Amino acid sequence: MTTPGQSFEPASGDGPPPPEAGRAAELRTAYEGLLQIRRLVNGPAGAAVPAPWELRLMPRAVALVLEAAGIPASAQDPQDPQDPQDAEVRRIRTGYRVGPAASGEDRVEVTWLGPPGGGAAEEEQERLTACAAVLEPLGWVCLLYRGPRRRRFLEVEPPPAS
C-alpha cells in the first residue's frame, strides 16, 4: 500500500515485486484517475489520447496501463544490488519491463523479461503484441521491433500531434 502523501507507483518491471496487500484497490483507483484526467483535460478527444502529464512521465503512464490490464510485470531479486539496466540482473518473475527507449526520450521501450531458462524469449512476440493491444486503444502508438540478440521489444510513443 502507499504511504499517506505518496502517490501510487506502478510496477515497471525493475525492482522487487510490488506488495500484494491493497494493491488491486490502489491500482484500480490510479487507473480510473488516469482516465478521468484524460476526460477533463483532453477536450473532445477525451480518454482516447494521453494527457499531458502522461507525455512527461511516459514510463509511469505506460506501466500503469499494462498493470491495470492484468499483464504481469517482471521483477528482480530484492537482494540483487546490481543496476537494473544490467543484463545480468537476477530476474525472479517473467513479465513486462518499461524503460527509456534507446531511440529517444519522447518514447519508451517495453521488453518481455524473465528468469534464465524461464521461456520469456519464446513468448515475447505474443506477449508484447498483447501489450500493444492494451496500449493502442488508449492512443499510444506501438511498434514491434527485433533488437540485439534477436530479442523483440515494443517501442511506445505518443500519437502524432494533430
Side-chain angles (χ1 to χ4, degrees), residues 121-146:
E122 289 79 28
E123 61 187 40
E124 68 189 4
Q125 180 170 349
E126 176 185 347
R127 301 298 279 179
L128 291 172
T129 300
C131 290
V134 167
L135 292 164
E136 288 173 340
L138 292 173
W140 296 105
V141 176
C142 301
L143 301 168
L144 186 61
Y145 291 103
R146 189 182 301 269

PDB file of all heavy atoms in Angstrom, residues 121-146:
ATOM      1  N   ALA A 121      11.893 -15.491 -23.774  1.00  0.00           N
ATOM      2  CA  ALA A 121      12.240 -15.211 -25.171  1.00  0.00           C
ATOM      3  C   ALA A 121      11.265 -15.871 -26.137  1.00  0.00           C
ATOM      4  O   ALA A 121      10.937 -15.291 -27.174  1.00  0.00           O
ATOM      5  CB  ALA A 121      13.670 -15.674 -25.463  1.00  0.00           C
ATOM      6  N   GLU A 122      10.775 -17.055 -25.802  1.00  0.00           N
ATOM      7  CA  GLU A 122       9.864 -17.770 -26.695  1.00  0.00           C
ATOM      8  C   GLU A 122       8.477 -17.136 -26.744  1.00  0.00           C
ATOM      9  O   GLU A 122       7.763 -17.271 -27.721  1.00  0.00           O
ATOM     10  CB  GLU A 122       9.736 -19.246 -26.277  1.00  0.00           C
ATOM     11  CG  GLU A 122      10.976 -20.064 -26.555  1.00  0.00           C
ATOM     12  CD  GLU A 122      12.076 -19.853 -25.515  1.00  0.00           C
ATOM     13  OE1 GLU A 122      11.766 -19.529 -24.343  1.00  0.00           O
ATOM     14  OE2 GLU A 122      13.258 -20.004 -25.870  1.00  0.00           O
ATOM     15  N   GLU A 123       8.083 -16.472 -25.676  1.00  0.00           N
ATOM     16  CA  GLU A 123       6.730 -15.905 -25.638  1.00  0.00           C
ATOM     17  C   GLU A 123       6.703 -14.400 -25.859  1.00  0.00           C
ATOM     18  O   GLU A 123       5.636 -13.801 -25.859  1.00  0.00           O
ATOM     19  CB  GLU A 123       6.043 -16.268 -24.320  1.00  0.00           C
ATOM     20  CG  GLU A 123       6.725 -15.762 -23.083  1.00  0.00           C
ATOM     21  CD  GLU A 123       6.098 -16.293 -21.792  1.00  0.00           C
ATOM     22  OE1 GLU A 123       5.719 -17.473 -21.745  1.00  0.00           O
ATOM     23  OE2 GLU A 123       5.993 -15.515 -20.838  1.00  0.00           O
ATOM     24  N   GLU A 124       7.861 -13.786 -26.086  1.00  0.00           N
ATOM     25  CA  GLU A 124       7.893 -12.322 -26.135  1.00  0.00           C
ATOM     26  C   GLU A 124       7.061 -11.725 -27.275  1.00  0.00           C
ATOM     27  O   GLU A 124       6.408 -10.706 -27.064  1.00  0.00           O
ATOM     28  CB  GLU A 124       9.321 -11.790 -26.156  1.00  0.00           C
ATOM     29  CG  GLU A 124      10.091 -12.092 -27.394  1.00  0.00           C
ATOM     30  CD  GLU A 124      11.566 -11.725 -27.285  1.00  0.00           C
ATOM     31  OE1 GLU A 124      12.039 -11.292 -26.224  1.00  0.00           O
ATOM     32  OE2 GLU A 124      12.256 -11.881 -28.305  1.00  0.00           O
ATOM     33  N   GLN A 125       7.052 -12.308 -28.450  1.00  0.00           N
ATOM     34  CA  GLN A 125       6.268 -11.716 -29.539  1.00  0.00           C
ATOM     35  C   GLN A 125       4.785 -11.718 -29.188  1.00  0.00           C
ATOM     36  O   GLN A 125       4.098 -10.695 -29.328  1.00  0.00           O
ATOM     37  CB  GLN A 125       6.487 -12.449 -30.864  1.00  0.00           C
ATOM     38  CG  GLN A 125       5.648 -11.817 -31.975  1.00  0.00           C
ATOM     39  CD  GLN A 125       5.991 -12.330 -33.356  1.00  0.00           C
ATOM     40  OE1 GLN A 125       6.982 -13.008 -33.555  1.00  0.00           O
ATOM     41  NE2 GLN A 125       5.173 -11.979 -34.329  1.00  0.00           N
ATOM     42  N   GLU A 126       4.265 -12.827 -28.721  1.00  0.00           N
ATOM     43  CA  GLU A 126       2.851 -12.912 -28.349  1.00  0.00           C
ATOM     44  C   GLU A 126       2.517 -11.963 -27.206  1.00  0.00           C
ATOM     45  O   GLU A 126       1.510 -11.251 -27.241  1.00  0.00           O
ATOM     46  CB  GLU A 126       2.528 -14.352 -27.945  1.00  0.00           C
ATOM     47  CG  GLU A 126       1.117 -14.534 -27.455  1.00  0.00           C
ATOM     48  CD  GLU A 126       0.876 -15.958 -26.937  1.00  0.00           C
ATOM     49  OE1 GLU A 126       1.701 -16.859 -27.182  1.00  0.00           O
ATOM     50  OE2 GLU A 126      -0.158 -16.148 -26.282  1.00  0.00           O
ATOM     51  N   ARG A 127       3.354 -11.922 -26.187  1.00  0.00           N
ATOM     52  CA  ARG A 127       3.081 -11.098 -25.008  1.00  0.00           C
ATOM     53  C   ARG A 127       3.237  -9.603 -25.317  1.00  0.00           C
ATOM     54  O   ARG A 127       2.459  -8.787 -24.828  1.00  0.00           O
ATOM     55  CB  ARG A 127       3.982 -11.519 -23.855  1.00  0.00           C
ATOM     56  CG  ARG A 127       3.802 -12.972 -23.467  1.00  0.00           C
ATOM     57  CD  ARG A 127       2.413 -13.282 -22.988  1.00  0.00           C
ATOM     58  NE  ARG A 127       2.367 -12.871 -21.609  1.00  0.00           N
ATOM     59  CZ  ARG A 127       1.326 -12.944 -20.822  1.00  0.00           C
ATOM     60  NH1 ARG A 127       0.197 -13.416 -21.281  1.00  0.00           N
ATOM     61  NH2 ARG A 127       1.375 -12.545 -19.587  1.00  0.00           N
ATOM     62  N   LEU A 128       4.218  -9.232 -26.128  1.00  0.00           N
ATOM     63  CA  LEU A 128       4.373  -7.819 -26.495  1.00  0.00           C
ATOM     64  C   LEU A 128       3.239  -7.365 -27.411  1.00  0.00           C
ATOM     65  O   LEU A 128       2.795  -6.218 -27.332  1.00  0.00           O
ATOM     66  CB  LEU A 128       5.742  -7.574 -27.137  1.00  0.00           C
ATOM     67  CG  LEU A 128       6.935  -7.703 -26.182  1.00  0.00           C
ATOM     68  CD1 LEU A 128       8.239  -7.642 -26.954  1.00  0.00           C
ATOM     69  CD2 LEU A 128       6.885  -6.657 -25.084  1.00  0.00           C
ATOM     70  N   THR A 129       2.757  -8.264 -28.253  1.00  0.00           N
ATOM     71  CA  THR A 129       1.595  -7.952 -29.085  1.00  0.00           C
ATOM     72  C   THR A 129       0.373  -7.708 -28.195  1.00  0.00           C
ATOM     73  O   THR A 129      -0.424  -6.802 -28.451  1.00  0.00           O
ATOM     74  CB  THR A 129       1.331  -9.093 -30.090  1.00  0.00           C
ATOM     75  OG1 THR A 129       2.499  -9.235 -30.921  1.00  0.00           O
ATOM     76  CG2 THR A 129       0.132  -8.810 -30.967  1.00  0.00           C
ATOM     77  N   ALA A 130       0.238  -8.480 -27.128  1.00  0.00           N
ATOM     78  CA  ALA A 130      -0.854  -8.262 -26.174  1.00  0.00           C
ATOM     79  C   ALA A 130      -0.702  -6.916 -25.468  1.00  0.00           C
ATOM     80  O   ALA A 130      -1.698  -6.221 -25.223  1.00  0.00           O
ATOM     81  CB  ALA A 130      -0.903  -9.398 -25.160  1.00  0.00           C
ATOM     82  N   CYS A 131       0.531  -6.533 -25.156  1.00  0.00           N
ATOM     83  CA  CYS A 131       0.779  -5.214 -24.544  1.00  0.00           C
ATOM     84  C   CYS A 131       0.335  -4.109 -25.500  1.00  0.00           C
ATOM     85  O   CYS A 131      -0.324  -3.144 -25.096  1.00  0.00           O
ATOM     86  CB  CYS A 131       2.253  -5.046 -24.194  1.00  0.00           C
ATOM     87  SG  CYS A 131       2.843  -6.077 -22.833  1.00  0.00           S
ATOM     88  N   ALA A 132       0.689  -4.240 -26.778  1.00  0.00           N
ATOM     89  CA  ALA A 132       0.295  -3.241 -27.777  1.00  0.00           C
ATOM     90  C   ALA A 132      -1.225  -3.174 -27.889  1.00  0.00           C
ATOM     91  O   ALA A 132      -1.797  -2.083 -28.015  1.00  0.00           O
ATOM     92  CB  ALA A 132       0.912  -3.568 -29.131  1.00  0.00           C
ATOM     93  N   ALA A 133      -1.901  -4.319 -27.810  1.00  0.00           N
ATOM     94  CA  ALA A 133      -3.360  -4.350 -27.924  1.00  0.00           C
ATOM     95  C   ALA A 133      -4.033  -3.614 -26.769  1.00  0.00           C
ATOM     96  O   ALA A 133      -5.137  -3.099 -26.921  1.00  0.00           O
ATOM     97  CB  ALA A 133      -3.846  -5.795 -27.985  1.00  0.00           C
ATOM     98  N   VAL A 134      -3.373  -3.518 -25.632  1.00  0.00           N
ATOM     99  CA  VAL A 134      -3.902  -2.780 -24.486  1.00  0.00           C
ATOM    100  C   VAL A 134      -3.600  -1.287 -24.623  1.00  0.00           C
ATOM    101  O   VAL A 134      -4.426  -0.443 -24.282  1.00  0.00           O
ATOM    102  CB  VAL A 134      -3.279  -3.340 -23.180  1.00  0.00           C
ATOM    103  CG1 VAL A 134      -3.536  -2.440 -22.000  1.00  0.00           C
ATOM    104  CG2 VAL A 134      -3.783  -4.744 -22.912  1.00  0.00           C
ATOM    105  N   LEU A 135      -2.427  -0.957 -25.128  1.00  0.00           N
ATOM    106  CA  LEU A 135      -1.983   0.445 -25.207  1.00  0.00           C
ATOM    107  C   LEU A 135      -2.606   1.215 -26.371  1.00  0.00           C
ATOM    108  O   LEU A 135      -2.946   2.391 -26.224  1.00  0.00           O
ATOM    109  CB  LEU A 135      -0.456   0.499 -25.305  1.00  0.00           C
ATOM    110  CG  LEU A 135       0.294   0.038 -24.052  1.00  0.00           C
ATOM    111  CD1 LEU A 135       1.752  -0.250 -24.378  1.00  0.00           C
ATOM    112  CD2 LEU A 135       0.162   1.067 -22.948  1.00  0.00           C
ATOM    113  N   GLU A 136      -2.738   0.586 -27.522  1.00  0.00           N
ATOM    114  CA  GLU A 136      -3.203   1.298 -28.724  1.00  0.00           C
ATOM    115  C   GLU A 136      -4.608   1.896 -28.595  1.00  0.00           C
ATOM    116  O   GLU A 136      -4.819   3.035 -29.016  1.00  0.00           O
ATOM    117  CB  GLU A 136      -3.073   0.399 -29.951  1.00  0.00           C
ATOM    118  CG  GLU A 136      -1.622   0.227 -30.349  1.00  0.00           C
ATOM    119  CD  GLU A 136      -1.392  -0.788 -31.448  1.00  0.00           C
ATOM    120  OE1 GLU A 136      -2.260  -1.654 -31.676  1.00  0.00           O
ATOM    121  OE2 GLU A 136      -0.310  -0.725 -32.071  1.00  0.00           O
ATOM    122  N   PRO A 137      -5.589   1.210 -27.994  1.00  0.00           N
ATOM    123  CA  PRO A 137      -6.905   1.841 -27.847  1.00  0.00           C
ATOM    124  C   PRO A 137      -6.888   3.092 -26.956  1.00  0.00           C
ATOM    125  O   PRO A 137      -7.801   3.897 -26.997  1.00  0.00           O
ATOM    126  CB  PRO A 137      -7.770   0.743 -27.208  1.00  0.00           C
ATOM    127  CG  PRO A 137      -7.074  -0.523 -27.531  1.00  0.00           C
ATOM    128  CD  PRO A 137      -5.615  -0.189 -27.590  1.00  0.00           C
ATOM    129  N   LEU A 138      -5.832   3.241 -26.171  1.00  0.00           N
ATOM    130  CA  LEU A 138      -5.696   4.414 -25.309  1.00  0.00           C
ATOM    131  C   LEU A 138      -4.838   5.496 -25.953  1.00  0.00           C
ATOM    132  O   LEU A 138      -4.396   6.436 -25.288  1.00  0.00           O
ATOM    133  CB  LEU A 138      -5.130   4.013 -23.949  1.00  0.00           C
ATOM    134  CG  LEU A 138      -6.099   3.165 -23.110  1.00  0.00           C
ATOM    135  CD1 LEU A 138      -5.417   2.655 -21.865  1.00  0.00           C
ATOM    136  CD2 LEU A 138      -7.347   3.952 -22.767  1.00  0.00           C
ATOM    137  N   GLY A 139      -4.589   5.366 -27.259  1.00  0.00           N
ATOM    138  CA  GLY A 139      -3.927   6.422 -28.007  1.00  0.00           C
ATOM    139  C   GLY A 139      -2.429   6.287 -28.175  1.00  0.00           C
ATOM    140  O   GLY A 139      -1.816   7.108 -28.855  1.00  0.00           O
ATOM    141  N   TRP A 140      -1.823   5.285 -27.593  1.00  0.00           N
ATOM    142  CA  TRP A 140      -0.376   5.108 -27.758  1.00  0.00           C
ATOM    143  C   TRP A 140      -0.088   4.439 -29.103  1.00  0.00           C
ATOM    144  O   TRP A 140      -0.837   3.583 -29.548  1.00  0.00           O
ATOM    145  CB  TRP A 140       0.189   4.254 -26.623  1.00  0.00           C
ATOM    146  CG  TRP A 140       0.045   4.897 -25.274  1.00  0.00           C
ATOM    147  CD1 TRP A 140      -0.853   4.561 -24.304  1.00  0.00           C
ATOM    148  CD2 TRP A 140       0.802   5.987 -24.769  1.00  0.00           C
ATOM    149  NE1 TRP A 140      -0.690   5.384 -23.223  1.00  0.00           N
ATOM    150  CE2 TRP A 140       0.315   6.269 -23.469  1.00  0.00           C
ATOM    151  CE3 TRP A 140       1.841   6.765 -25.268  1.00  0.00           C
ATOM    152  CZ2 TRP A 140       0.838   7.285 -22.682  1.00  0.00           C
ATOM    153  CZ3 TRP A 140       2.364   7.785 -24.476  1.00  0.00           C
ATOM    154  CH2 TRP A 140       1.870   8.038 -23.198  1.00  0.00           C
ATOM    155  N   VAL A 141       1.014   4.826 -29.728  1.00  0.00           N
ATOM    156  CA  VAL A 141       1.460   4.221 -30.980  1.00  0.00           C
ATOM    157  C   VAL A 141       2.529   3.186 -30.613  1.00  0.00           C
ATOM    158  O   VAL A 141       3.517   3.520 -29.951  1.00  0.00           O
ATOM    159  CB  VAL A 141       2.039   5.281 -31.942  1.00  0.00           C
ATOM    160  CG1 VAL A 141       2.597   4.622 -33.195  1.00  0.00           C
ATOM    161  CG2 VAL A 141       0.977   6.322 -32.279  1.00  0.00           C
ATOM    162  N   CYS A 142       2.327   1.951 -31.025  1.00  0.00           N
ATOM    163  CA  CYS A 142       3.222   0.855 -30.652  1.00  0.00           C
ATOM    164  C   CYS A 142       3.818   0.214 -31.897  1.00  0.00           C
ATOM    165  O   CYS A 142       3.088  -0.120 -32.836  1.00  0.00           O
ATOM    166  CB  CYS A 142       2.458  -0.197 -29.866  1.00  0.00           C
ATOM    167  SG  CYS A 142       1.690   0.426 -28.359  1.00  0.00           S
ATOM    168  N   LEU A 143       5.123   0.021 -31.881  1.00  0.00           N
ATOM    169  CA  LEU A 143       5.836  -0.617 -32.990  1.00  0.00           C
ATOM    170  C   LEU A 143       6.688  -1.746 -32.424  1.00  0.00           C
ATOM    171  O   LEU A 143       7.468  -1.540 -31.498  1.00  0.00           O
ATOM    172  CB  LEU A 143       6.726   0.398 -33.710  1.00  0.00           C
ATOM    173  CG  LEU A 143       5.988   1.608 -34.284  1.00  0.00           C
ATOM    174  CD1 LEU A 143       6.973   2.677 -34.697  1.00  0.00           C
ATOM    175  CD2 LEU A 143       5.127   1.189 -35.451  1.00  0.00           C
ATOM    176  N   LEU A 144       6.532  -2.945 -32.978  1.00  0.00           N
ATOM    177  CA  LEU A 144       7.273  -4.109 -32.528  1.00  0.00           C
ATOM    178  C   LEU A 144       8.547  -4.247 -33.361  1.00  0.00           C
ATOM    179  O   LEU A 144       8.484  -4.249 -34.591  1.00  0.00           O
ATOM    180  CB  LEU A 144       6.410  -5.362 -32.662  1.00  0.00           C
ATOM    181  CG  LEU A 144       6.961  -6.666 -32.103  1.00  0.00           C
ATOM    182  CD1 LEU A 144       7.202  -6.560 -30.600  1.00  0.00           C
ATOM    183  CD2 LEU A 144       6.001  -7.810 -32.401  1.00  0.00           C
ATOM    184  N   TYR A 145       9.678  -4.335 -32.685  1.00  0.00           N
ATOM    185  CA  TYR A 145      10.977  -4.442 -33.351  1.00  0.00           C
ATOM    186  C   TYR A 145      11.723  -5.670 -32.859  1.00  0.00           C
ATOM    187  O   TYR A 145      11.418  -6.218 -31.802  1.00  0.00           O
ATOM    188  CB  TYR A 145      11.859  -3.225 -33.037  1.00  0.00           C
ATOM    189  CG  TYR A 145      11.388  -1.939 -33.643  1.00  0.00           C
ATOM    190  CD1 TYR A 145      10.735  -0.983 -32.866  1.00  0.00           C
ATOM    191  CD2 TYR A 145      11.614  -1.649 -34.975  1.00  0.00           C
ATOM    192  CE1 TYR A 145      10.317   0.220 -33.414  1.00  0.00           C
ATOM    193  CE2 TYR A 145      11.203  -0.450 -35.537  1.00  0.00           C
ATOM    194  CZ  TYR A 145      10.557   0.474 -34.745  1.00  0.00           C
ATOM    195  OH  TYR A 145      10.148   1.663 -35.286  1.00  0.00           O
ATOM    196  N   ARG A 146      12.738  -6.049 -33.626  1.00  0.00           N
ATOM    197  CA  ARG A 146      13.684  -7.075 -33.193  1.00  0.00           C
ATOM    198  C   ARG A 146      15.010  -6.369 -32.965  1.00  0.00           C
ATOM    199  O   ARG A 146      15.526  -5.702 -33.849  1.00  0.00           O
ATOM    200  CB  ARG A 146      13.836  -8.176 -34.244  1.00  0.00           C
ATOM    201  CG  ARG A 146      14.627  -9.355 -33.748  1.00  0.00           C
ATOM    202  CD  ARG A 146      14.816 -10.412 -34.803  1.00  0.00           C
ATOM    203  NE  ARG A 146      13.585 -10.964 -35.325  1.00  0.00           N
ATOM    204  CZ  ARG A 146      12.964 -12.040 -34.843  1.00  0.00           C
ATOM    205  NH1 ARG A 146      13.463 -12.664 -33.807  1.00  0.00           N
ATOM    206  NH2 ARG A 146      11.868 -12.481 -35.396  1.00  0.00           N
TER     207      ARG A 146
END
